């Protein structure tokens, strides 16, 4: 789970599991670091949860080596919770092409309009059996060499 302490700060999405890695590593929990220069396709899906009684927004954008990437922000709308024990859920997903040099890194940043919005993971379920719902998934795919 990942939470926001305030609505005026940007937070880096963090990752704690790597399923496959070919030329990309996670450094400092959030930095998707590439071994080879080229054009990379950065993709994500993030499981948001809204526990408030109001519609909220979450914004997500990319940073390269600590600097926001121009025109990479997206805003996602989260419905109000259904009831006090039943929050609303939204999957935010997008991809973005970025030119990177070897050892450059990309971070996925986020902010929300209310701290009642979080990035949430869910345990495996039963009846029927189903797998864990990760809070965030990122995929970095090498597209081509830089020419």
């Amino acid at each position: 789970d990942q939470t926001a302490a305030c609505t005026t700060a940007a937070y880096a999405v963090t990752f704690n599991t790597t399923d496959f890695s070919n030329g990309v590593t996670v450094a400092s929990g959030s930095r998707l670091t590439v071994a080879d220069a080229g054009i990379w396709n950065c993709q994500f899906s993030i499981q948001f949860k809204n526990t408030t009684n109001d519609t909220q927004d979450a914004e997500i954008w990319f940073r390269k080596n600590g600097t926001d990437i121009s025109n990479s922000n997206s805003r996602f709308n989260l419905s109000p919770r259904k009831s006090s024990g039943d929050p609303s859920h939204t999957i935010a997903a997008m991809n973005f092409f970025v030119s990177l040099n070897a050892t450059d890194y990309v971070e996925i940043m986020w902010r929300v309009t209310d701290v009642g919005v979080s990035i949430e993971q869910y345990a495996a379920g039963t009846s029927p059996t189903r797998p864990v719902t990760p809070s965030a998934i990122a995929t970095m795919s090498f597209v081509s060499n830089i020419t």
Side-chain angles (χ1 to χ4, degrees), residues 126-144:
T126 58
S127 299
T129 301
R130 52 201 185 276
V132 168
T133 302
S135 61
I137 298 171
T139 304
M140 295 279 293
S141 302
F142 182 79
V143 176
S144 71

Side-chain angles (χ1 to χ4, degrees), residues 4-88:
C6 71
T7 60
T8 58
Y11 299 93
V13 175
T14 58
F15 303 94
N16 62 11
T17 302
T18 301
D19 290 330
F20 303 100
S21 179
N22 185 8
V24 180
T25 56
V26 179
S28 302
S30 65
R31 295 176 176 181
L32 306 171
T33 307
V34 300
D36 299 312
I39 305 299
W40 289 82
N41 184 10
C42 311
Q43 306 169 39
F44 69 79
S45 65
I46 296 174
Q47 176 72 62
F48 279 107
K49 175 176 85 170
N50 181 12
T51 60
T52 75
N53 292 324
D54 300 309
T55 299
Q56 301 297 338
D57 290 325
E59 292 182 82
I60 306 171
W61 65 95
F62 294 97
R63 274 189 183 161
K64 174 182 170 181
N65 300 327
T67 301
D68 293 339
I69 299 176
S70 297
N71 301 311
S72 69
N73 190 43
S74 290
R75 181 175 287 183
F76 298 89
N77 185 264
L78 294 89
S79 300
R81 69 182 183 182
K82 297 170 219 159
S83 66
S84 62
D86 194 6
S88 70

Side-chain angles (χ1 to χ4, degrees), residues 74-141:
S74 290
R75 181 175 287 183
F76 298 89
N77 185 264
L78 294 89
S79 300
R81 69 182 183 182
K82 297 170 219 159
S83 66
S84 62
D86 194 6
S88 70
H89 303 94
T90 299
I91 290 283
M94 64 181 264
N95 70 296
F96 196 81
F97 289 91
V98 61
S99 176
L100 299 170
N101 292 315
T103 72
D104 281 353
Y105 67 89
V106 171
E107 289 179 292
I108 301 167
M109 305 302 296
W110 66 292
R111 68 148 315 255
V112 292
T113 54
D114 191 282
V115 296
V117 174
S118 60
I119 298 175
E120 196 76 14
Q121 68 86 32
Y122 294 94
T126 58
S127 299
T129 301
R130 52 201 185 276
V132 168
T133 302
S135 61
I137 298 171
T139 304
M140 295 279 293
S141 302

